[in-house]
Amino acid sequence: MSVRFNPEAISAEAPTRLSVTTLPRLPPVHVLRPRLTDALLEADCRLRLICAPAGFGKSVLMNECARQLPDGTRLVWLDLGGRACSPEELYTRLCASLAVVPSAGGDIHEHLIALLKACEQPLWIMLDDYPREVTPELDACLDMLLELSPESLGWWVSSRRQPAWKLPRLLLQGDLFELEATSLALTGDELRQLLELHCLELADDSFQQLLAGSEGWLAGVCLMLLNADEQALRERLVAGTQLLRDYVQREVLEGQSEEIRHALFALARVPRFSAQLCDHILDGVGSEILETLKTFQLFARQIDNCGEWFRLWRPLALMLQRMPGAGASTQTHLRACQWFASRGEMREAVEHALWAGQPEVAANYLQRYGQEQLLIGDNVSLFLKWRSELPQDLFASTTRLIVLHSWALVICARLDEVDECLADLAKFFPQPDARRQAQLLAQWQALRGFVARLRGEPEARDHCLQALEVLSDHAWAQRVLCYQVLSQQAMAESELEQALHYNAEGMKLARLKGSLLYEAMLSVDRVQLLEITGEFERAIGVLEESLRALRDSVRHSPIIGRLKLLQGHLLAYQGLDEAAREAYQQGRIETETCGDSYVFFGYVGLAELAARNQEFPAAYHWLREAERLTQWRHVPEARFRGILSLITALTWLHQGKLKKARAALVDVLESYEDQAYLAPSGFYELLPRVQRYLAVVDLLAGRAAQAVGALQALIEQNLRTQRLGLACECRFTLAEALQQCGRHAEAEQELRKALVEAARQQLTKPLLELQQRQPQWLAKILPISKGESLGERLLQFQRDLDDSPSASDEAVLSNRELTVLRLIAQGCSNQEIAEQLFISLHTVKTHARRINTKLGVARRTQAVARAKALGWF
């Protein structure tokens, strides 16, 4: 005769909570982790699941939470030991913990539900070390209990296996809080606490090595720290320890099938793997094995946001590679190499070929490496790393490898080494036919043109124009780069319309080929063109649009770094120093990581910013770093000729060291005049800026009359060449020089003109300089309310001008309208203007209509004549 369960059978005297002494003891060397316990205790849900591989502190963490049991809540702690457990056994153990006589016979699920519903007070059931093998009956039972148990019951489960429960449903219902291995990994602060408990103090590099090498795996860290000093620890990070090997053998490998063991040893050699790659490496069973690794928490770590790509946790992978059962890795790497190559992912194909000890195979795949791929992540640095690992003659074995090698060196600005590469092309002449001969010669000319541009040599134009006449559509990437060289050369020669034309041609070709990276690379030049012509608002718009487009397609690229550096430069010109400093730092880190020579501009930008803010130790630090970097990376002085001297002179200028500043500025001018060099890429206004700062030195040295003449000539020159931003800066300095000469009326008139231009261009930097030297005079012309910045006051000044019926003629047109008017004056049609400015035809017509209205004319020719009369062209 069966006995039915009686809810009243739960003794009123049954303990409401377990004594701390009945819980498993905590480890003797134990770090409290409140970030995890607080999150678990504060979670308002039905199930708290701690699911992670062996050695991540799951049981200890749940034990910590049990010791913080809320008042009035009962606790049941069941250590399942990872062994199989039936629903009947679970029921029996629950009854024993709750001091209830179990019911005999009947449906076990009904008994369990009745037992749990009979608990009138809140109850926590903690199941520690859930069965590691698949237990369908227990999984189904718990799945049912999670759905039907009362709200007052909270389930806590620690497990090395992902139970077969309806977890997505629980998550959507707000009934699940899950902690995985990535959350359980030790943070830097927790690792420091653990080191203190071991009475071990590490140098910063050793600490970072331990944190990165262990990836926060608690068991791995503890076993390596056992009886270790710093030297022993560094050795163990390289070679492992016997204790750690035993732990991996017993806790990870023991009990696994031969198939799983083989898979773990193979995947330990692979930096990343997917189900398809596993299938290729593991003879068609990889998908099932990957699912097994994920389900049974065998250290498969997801490394993307889509659940497609994984890798083994680094410390386990390193340990498996060192173990005797690891076996040969050549076959694994060769299969991975084939798989990546078949998908066009040449970086991984080359890496696996090298790991397999097959340099010829690596060189073969390297030839298929797309030139555009050099602009992704740290591929340039990696390419040069391969050069040191492959036999030297392989890199000179084909024209394709020589050209790729040369472009990688160009990005790093190792110009002398590019010359050596190009010399290797000579042995491939003559080619079997005239067409191939011409194409190879054009490739050589494109590279020579790019190198000449980086050195500031005038012949860059001829090389690239000749290359463009010959390069086929197949060599479209080289054609884009030739257009870039021509655009940069034109900017250096102050031929800005020509620069815009070549930039537009390059953009058009990049878009036709669907190359977002090349388009963004040309956008760097486009932004600098817009900045030079005073279109700051448009420049910022193009820059932000390019950054958004790249962030959606590539995570890291030297082009992203260049855009961030340019963003810092523009922000500095608007007087937004903190935002500029942050952008400079982001760009510096990105370009340095990617091996791009443009990192130099990050250092000098930070130096200029520091000098402007009177932070001279920081300024000299960044200048030293810039010089050290160029030397360490073997970048010749020609790439950045004069820039370092200019920023050093500016630092001396801010310190009042006028003689030293003047000498440095004169040296820059003389070096360019003697050798007939052009300004370096990325710093096209070098010489006129040097001339402006020489005038500033004269001004501060009491030679204001001499400065006036130089500045008037500079303004005329800058307006003629459309360098409107620099013309505006010179006008502010001219106003100050006139004021110092006692020509107050002229000074005030010039200052008002400068303010009009600065407001139109959103240019704050020259106001900051003037405010430092002539604060009272500037405040008289441009009064600033308390708490108002110069930028804000300049905007208000512009609004006042727009609202004033007597606003000067020179304040009428916006920068974009001025640009449209200049193109009209050159005879461009509306369609040509739209193509050059990348705006719609309707927008061009709107600009033209507004220009006529503002200038009070009826036709385009009249607008051009009016602009010339006002001295705008």
Side-chain angles (χ1 to χ4, degrees):
M1 178 177 166
S2 65
V3 179
R4 291 289 179 184
F5 170 70
N6 179 9
E8 296 178 359
I10 298 181
S11 169
E13 284 78 29
T16 60
R17 56 194 298 161
L18 281 182
S19 166
V20 170
T21 57
T22 63
L23 288 169
R25 72 180 183 88
L26 293 171
V29 180
H30 170 58
V31 173
L32 293 173
R33 297 197 277 176
R35 68 178 176 91
L36 299 175
T37 53
D38 290 351
L40 285 163
L41 292 167
E42 291 168 8
D44 182 16
C45 58
R46 191 182 297 265
L47 169 63
R48 296 165 178 86
L49 177 62
I50 309 172
C51 192
F56 275 89
K58 302 180 292 296
S59 299
V60 172
L61 180 62
M62 202 157 71
N63 193 335
E64 284 182 41
C65 293
R67 293 164 190 268
Q68 300 180 55
L69 184 73
D71 291 336
T73 300
R74 298 189 69 175
L75 173 66
V76 172
W77 177 283
L78 298 182
D79 182 3
L80 302 184
R83 296 179 295 275
C85 177
S86 66
E88 289 78 10
E89 184 181 348
L90 175 66
Y91 174 62
T92 301
R93 295 187 64 177
L94 282 173
C95 287
S97 298
L98 293 169
V100 171
V101 177
S103 299
D107 189 315
I108 190 65
H109 298 100
E110 291 181 2
H111 292 332
L112 279 165
I113 293 169
L115 174 66
L116 298 177
K117 287 185 175 179
C119 297
E120 296 180 356
Q121 65 185 114
L123 172 66
W124 282 1
I125 298 178
M126 290 187 164
L127 304 181
D128 185 34
D129 203 358
Y130 194 77
R132 298 171 197 174
E133 296 299 323
V134 175
T135 52
E137 298 84 2
L138 184 65
D139 282 358
C141 177
L142 263 295
D143 203 26
M144 178 268 298
L145 293 177
L146 287 169
E147 186 174 347
L148 300 178
S149 55
E151 293 290 333
S152 59
L153 171 58
W155 291 92
W156 296 64
V157 179
S158 73
S159 177
R160 294 190 195 178
R161 172 175 68 89
Q162 190 82 49
W165 301 335
K166 301 183 185 73
L167 295 178
R169 178 178 174 181
L170 290 171
L171 188 62
L172 290 172
Q173 292 172 344
D175 283 332
L176 170 64
F177 181 81
E178 185 175 6
L179 284 180
E180 297 178 332
T182 50
S183 300
L184 294 171
L186 290 170
T187 63
D189 288 340
E190 290 164 355
L191 179 56
R192 285 190 179 90
Q193 293 177 48
L194 192 58
L195 289 169
E196 287 177 12
L197 292 174
H198 280 269
C199 302
L200 187 58
E201 187 173 341
L202 298 181
D204 188 60
D205 61 332
S206 297
F207 175 83
Q208 293 300 332
Q209 189 181 353
L210 175 60
L211 185 61
S214 68
E215 289 195 310
W217 183 31
L218 183 59
V221 171
C222 290
L223 289 171
M224 279 192 287
L225 290 179
L226 210 59
N227 301 320
D229 57 16
E230 182 168 0
Q231 182 58 37
L233 181 61
R234 294 178 76 96
E235 292 173 6
R236 290 174 182 183
L237 282 168
V238 174
T241 72
Q242 185 59 49
L243 279 174
L244 192 51
R245 281 190 288 274
D246 290 344
Y247 184 87
V248 169
Q249 183 65 49
R250 292 178 181 278
E251 298 294 331
V252 180
L253 300 177
E254 196 171 275
Q256 303 297 338
S257 67
E258 188 57 37
E259 196 173 52
I260 294 295
R261 290 167 65 92
H262 171 71
L264 285 171
F265 282 123
L267 297 177
R269 307 278 180 179
V270 183
R272 65 174 184 138
F273 50 83
S274 64
Q276 293 80 8
L277 177 56
C278 285
D279 268 340
H280 191 80
I281 292 174
L282 302 172
D283 298 318
V285 296
S287 297
E288 294 83 356
I289 285 178
L290 180 56
E291 282 304 311
T292 300
L293 298 184
K294 289 157 57 180
T295 299
F296 290 91
Q297 298 295 309
L298 291 174
F299 291 84
R301 180 171 187 172
Q302 183 178 317
I303 56 174
D304 65 354
N305 295 318
C306 306
E308 180 182 359
W309 287 98
F310 299 84
R311 65 171 172 82
L312 292 188
W313 279 75
R314 192 172 294 117
L316 177 74
L318 291 174
M319 187 57 61
L320 291 174
Q321 290 171 23
R322 300 184 192 113
M323 291 180 73
S329 61
T330 301
Q331 194 63 29
T332 296
H333 286 308
L334 282 177
R335 288 189 175 189
C337 171
Q338 295 163 358
W339 189 87
F340 280 114
S342 69
R343 283 152 181 78
E345 298 183 51
M346 294 305 154
R347 170 174 174 157
E348 282 89 349
V350 171
E351 289 273 56
H352 282 287
L354 287 173
W355 290 326
Q358 302 288 326
E360 293 81 6
V361 175
N364 181 45
Y365 286 131
L366 199 56
Q367 287 195 115
R368 308 183 204 175
Y369 208 71
Q371 192 169 307
E372 191 179 21
Q373 288 179 284
L374 293 174
L375 298 177
I376 298 175
D378 62 344
N379 282 353
V380 167
S381 301
L382 190 65
F383 195 95
L384 297 181
K385 171 178 168 285
W386 292 334
R387 181 182 64 166
S388 65
E389 296 178 6
L390 286 166
Q392 290 302 301
D393 57 340
L394 284 179
F395 265 86
S397 60
T398 68
T399 57
R400 174 67 177 164
L401 280 176
I402 292 172
V403 169
L404 268 177
H405 186 194
S406 299
W407 283 116
L409 291 168
V410 162
I411 293 171
C412 296
R414 292 161 74 162
L415 307 183
D416 297 337
E417 294 178 60
V418 179
D419 290 337
E420 295 173 14
C421 272
L422 292 180
D424 287 333
L425 278 179
K427 66 184 181 183
F428 292 94
F429 288 102
Q431 287 284 295
D433 56 65
R435 185 190 66 80
R436 280 187 279 184
Q437 175 90 353
Q439 287 297 311
L440 185 57
L441 183 59
Q443 292 269 7
W444 178 88
Q445 285 188 299
L447 278 161
R448 283 297 310 143
F450 213 110
V451 172
R453 166 82 289 273
L454 293 180
R455 285 180 171 146
E457 297 168 351
E459 56 265 29
R461 174 188 282 105
D462 291 340
H463 281 304
C464 288
L465 286 174
Q466 291 170 28
L468 281 172
E469 291 177 2
V470 178
L471 286 170
S472 66
D473 186 61
H474 180 70
W476 65 268
Q478 284 81 11
R479 293 181 63 84
V480 170
L481 291 166
C482 283
Y483 283 124
Q484 184 184 36
V485 169
L486 291 168
S487 178
Q488 292 182 354
Q489 192 83 345
M491 276 195 275
E493 295 175 334
S494 299
E495 299 289 344
L496 300 188
E497 263 112 26
Q498 201 173 53
L500 183 63
H501 164 72
Y502 286 127
N503 182 265
E505 288 297 310
M507 283 269 199
K508 188 187 301 181
L509 182 54
R511 287 170 177 168
L512 284 172
K513 299 301 179 180
S515 174
L516 186 63
L517 274 168
Y518 274 28
E519 182 184 344
M521 180 182 69
L522 292 169
S523 291
V524 174
D525 298 331
R526 171 58 61 89
V527 170
Q528 289 182 301
L529 260 171
L530 292 169
E531 178 217 337
I532 290 170
T533 55
E535 293 193 67
F536 267 73
E537 186 176 6
R538 175 67 177 153
I540 292 168
V542 171
L543 188 147
E544 291 177 346
E545 183 182 337
S546 298
L547 279 174
R548 280 195 300 271
L550 282 181
R551 289 295 186 193
D552 291 339
S553 60
V554 293
R555 292 181 61 189
H556 296 287
S557 167
I559 306 305
I560 292 176
R562 294 179 191 184
L563 287 166
K564 293 302 292 186
L565 292 175
L566 198 47
Q567 186 179 52
H569 173 73
L570 295 179
L571 289 167
Y573 262 79
Q574 293 174 295
L576 304 172
D577 286 3
E578 285 307 312
R581 187 175 286 107
E582 183 180 353
Y584 272 134
Q585 287 285 23
Q586 291 173 354
R588 180 186 67 82
I589 292 168
E590 185 78 5
T591 46
E592 192 160 3
T593 302
C594 296
D596 185 17
S597 63
Y598 270 72
V599 66
F600 176 86
F601 292 109
Y603 286 106
V604 296
L606 288 164
E608 184 179 4
L609 208 56
R612 190 170 86 189
N613 288 288
Q614 309 291 306
E615 300 165 356
F616 299 116
Y620 287 121
H621 162 75
W622 291 119
L623 287 170
R624 285 193 303 272
E625 286 297 298
E627 187 173 19
R628 183 194 65 81
L629 184 83
T630 56
Q631 293 167 353
W632 181 64
R633 293 197 173 183
H634 309 287
V635 178
E637 192 270 340
R639 171 64 184 95
F640 304 109
R641 185 183 290 109
I643 299 175
L644 204 57
S645 297
L646 170 60
I647 305 303
T648 303
L650 285 184
T651 306
W652 286 333
L653 186 62
H654 284 292
Q655 285 184 291
K657 299 177 180 179
L658 301 184
K659 287 185 178 179
K660 294 180 74 173
R662 182 177 183 80
L665 293 169
V666 169
D667 282 346
V668 175
L669 275 184
E670 289 178 349
S671 70
Y672 274 86
E673 289 170 356
D674 292 346
Q675 302 294 330
Y677 290 126
L678 294 171
S681 296
F683 217 100
Y684 305 102
E685 296 179 318
L686 176 65
L687 296 183
R689 286 201 174 279
V690 167
Q691 292 165 338
R692 183 203 163 218
Y693 284 118
L694 278 171
V696 172
V697 170
D698 286 336
L699 172 68
L700 297 178
R703 298 185 291 270
Q706 183 176 329
V708 166
L711 288 164
Q712 287 173 334
L714 268 176
I715 290 170
E716 183 180 343
Q717 175 193 344
N718 288 325
L719 288 175
R720 186 171 60 252
T721 56
Q722 298 183 38
R723 293 195 294 256
L724 301 187
L726 188 52
C728 178
E729 292 181 54
C730 291
R731 200 177 293 281
F732 274 102
T733 312
L734 175 61
E736 188 179 357
L738 289 168
Q739 178 76 356
Q740 196 175 107
C741 288
R743 298 159 64 176
H744 303 303
E746 292 176 73
E748 184 170 330
Q749 182 183 9
E750 207 64 45
L751 179 57
R752 290 187 183 278
K753 281 184 180 180
L755 287 170
V756 168
E757 292 175 6
R760 185 165 58 201
Q761 297 177 34
Q762 299 183 8
L763 193 63
T764 309
K765 182 186 174 185
L767 273 80
L768 294 170
E769 293 181 18
L770 187 60
Q771 187 181 48
Q772 285 180 347
R773 295 193 292 263
Q774 301 283 349
Q776 294 179 342
W777 184 48
L778 180 60
K780 178 183 174 183
I781 308 299
L782 189 74
I784 298 177
S785 304
K786 187 177 181 180
E788 191 177 30
S789 70
L790 272 176
E792 291 167 341
R793 185 62 193 95
L794 195 62
L795 286 174
Q796 184 58 48
F797 179 82
Q798 184 181 31
R799 286 192 289 267
D800 293 343
L801 282 173
D802 291 340
D803 295 340
S804 171
S806 59
S808 71
D809 288 329
E810 293 190 40
V812 174
L813 300 187
S814 68
N815 280 339
R816 176 40 58 96
E817 289 164 348
L818 278 172
T819 303
V820 170
L821 187 53
R822 284 192 196 94
L823 293 173
I824 290 172
Q826 294 167 27
C828 295
S829 67
N830 287 346
Q831 184 61 47
E832 289 170 332
I833 294 171
E835 289 176 359
Q836 285 204 43
L837 299 181
F838 294 102
I839 57 179
S840 68
L841 187 62
H842 171 74
T843 302
V844 175
K845 292 177 179 178
T846 301
H847 282 315
R849 186 170 61 252
R850 287 177 179 168
I851 290 168
N852 290 347
T853 301
K854 289 183 177 182
L855 295 182
V857 298
R859 293 188 298 276
R860 292 159 63 107
T861 53
Q862 293 173 328
V864 172
R866 175 72 172 143
K868 288 180 178 177
L870 291 169
W872 288 350
F873 300 157

